[in-house]
């Protein structure tokens, strides 16, 4: 019997054991470890740990006495528990959670004994935050960077998003750790990495491919042929804390829609079948009194079926609102749901997350919210964004609203 073929040996590029970069791209020579009054603990998502262009390890090596932990759920991590328990009362976490304060406020107080920094893409960092509720007990702080990220070869989803080492540098300045002679040495490895990568890209332009002329902004056929049939809708969910092991399904709690050509509106607060989440009022910016007139899901579905017309082109932001409507018994399919977030991405030629990003890009005036809370504000923005995109694509504006046709219910 013949032996099975053996795989050919593969040669790996020599790697620096310290920075874990190929020796040709090692930036260790630029490191100047910095002693700080606060101890830094960096929590890194495993996927980001495999990213050779990540900067959390760079920040870790540049901060004397810091700790780098890799994972998502740290509940069973002994080092995590011990570090969190130590000086827990005065420690802080760098994460832009709702209610997070500006790091500049730290300048007027003694430096915290421990600073926790979450590293990863936005979705990865959000997952670490949700999976570790113990961090929620710490005061959260956010940065307002003085300038856009200098990453150069990586795009950021928002202007205020920067690399981890840039965020730490901003925090060090707020804590009074970065003087005029400290800022540049701390960022020197980062600038070396960026310069080297941009140099490779410029030296090998063929890797980028031929530049394509931008495509003209167009609407899907259903909306382009009948813009007067556009119905914009937005739905807020009754979301439950991610830390709960068993969570009821997310249900619609606030649903709103407007027919752009006529201004007809329908809006409801819906009583969730599985009860009210303990965090939903705070998340949605609502007072409990706003729910006084909420109706049962069956009554809401009936009202929306009466509102709907044959040929409607339903336009939502992403797929979340449409899925909540279907779960509530309203199928918004019509001739197909148009994803306005996809259209905004084509128009802006960049990644788009929340409707606020498209609203700011289009430089639209302040919205007039017809319904309360965060959902009301986002619905007003979404309506304005939809009108603007239709106007740009068709060169014909829809009427802002036809008086006397509103069917809004609050």
């Amino acid at each position: 019997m013949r032996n099975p073929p053996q795989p050919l040996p593969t040669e790996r590029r020599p790697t620096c054991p310290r920075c874990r970069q190929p020796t040709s791209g090692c930036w260790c020579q630029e490191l100047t470890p910095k002693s700080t009054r606060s101890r830094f603990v960096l929590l890194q998502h495993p996927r980001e740990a495999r990213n050779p262009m990540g900067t959390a390890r760079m920040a870790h090596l540049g901060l004397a006495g810091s700790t780098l932990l890799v994972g998502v759920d740290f509940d069973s991590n002994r080092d995590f528990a011990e570090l969190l328990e130590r000086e827990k009362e005065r420690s802080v976490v760098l994460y832009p959670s709702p209610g997070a304060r500006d790091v500049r406020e730290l300048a007027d107080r003694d430096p915290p004994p421990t600073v926790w920094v979450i590293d990863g893409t936005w979705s990865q960092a959000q997952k670490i935050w949700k999976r570790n509720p113990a961090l929620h007990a710490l005061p959260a702080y956010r940065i307002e960077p003085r300038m856009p990220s200098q990453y150069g070869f990586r795009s950021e989803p928002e202007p205020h998003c920067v690399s981890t080492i840039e965020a730490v540098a901003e925090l060090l300045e707020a804590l009074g750790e970065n003087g005029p002679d400290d800022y540049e040495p701390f960022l020197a490895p980062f600038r070396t990495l960026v310069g080297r990568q941009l140099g490779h890209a410029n030296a090998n332009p063929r890797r980028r491919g031929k530049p394509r002329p931008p495509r003209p902004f167009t609407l899907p056929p259903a909306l382009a042929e009948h813009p007067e049939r556009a119905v914009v809708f937005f739905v807020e969910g009754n979301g439950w804390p991610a830390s709960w092991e068993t969570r009821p399904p997310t249900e619609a709690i606030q649903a709103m829609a407007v027919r752009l050509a006529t201004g007809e509106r329908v809006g409801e607060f819906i009583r969730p079948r599985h009860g009210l989440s303990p965090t939903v009022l705070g998340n949605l910016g609502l007072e409990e009194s706003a729910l006084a007139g909420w109706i049962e899901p069956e009554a809401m579905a009936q009202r929306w079926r009466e509102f709907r017309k044959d040929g409607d082109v339903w336009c939502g932001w992403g797929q979340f609102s449409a899925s909540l409507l279907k779960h509530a018994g309203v199928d918004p399919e019509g001739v197909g749901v148009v994803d306005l977030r996809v259209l905004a991405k084509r128009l802006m030629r960049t990644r788009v997350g929340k409707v606020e990003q498209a609203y700011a890009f289009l430089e639209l005036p302040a919205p007039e919210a017809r319904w309360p809370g965060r959902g009301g504000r986002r619905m007003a923005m979404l309506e304005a964004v939809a009108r603007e995109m239709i106007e740009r694509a068709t060169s014909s504006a829809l009427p802002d609203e036809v008086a006397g046709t509103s069917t809004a219910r609050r």
Side-chain angles (χ1 to χ4, degrees), residues 261-298:
T262 64
E264 296 174 87
R265 300 175 186 273
V266 61
E268 315 287 353
F269 280 108
I270 307 105
R271 184 195 302 272
R273 294 185 177 93
H274 295 86
L276 189 66
S277 165
T279 59
V280 68
L281 291 177
N283 291 341
L284 303 187
L286 292 170
E287 299 292 338
E288 189 172 359
S289 58
L291 306 180
W294 63 6
I295 61 177
E296 300 297 330
E298 294 76 13

Side-chain angles (χ1 to χ4, degrees), residues 330-357:
V330 181
D331 188 354
E333 281 300 330
V335 295
V337 175
V338 174
D339 189 342
L340 295 177
R341 185 167 63 183
V342 172
L343 295 186
K345 179 180 178 180
R346 294 176 186 170
L347 178 63
M348 299 165 59
R349 300 193 183 103
T350 186
R351 290 185 295 176
V352 183
K354 298 177 182 178
V355 66
E356 287 89 342
Q357 186 179 351

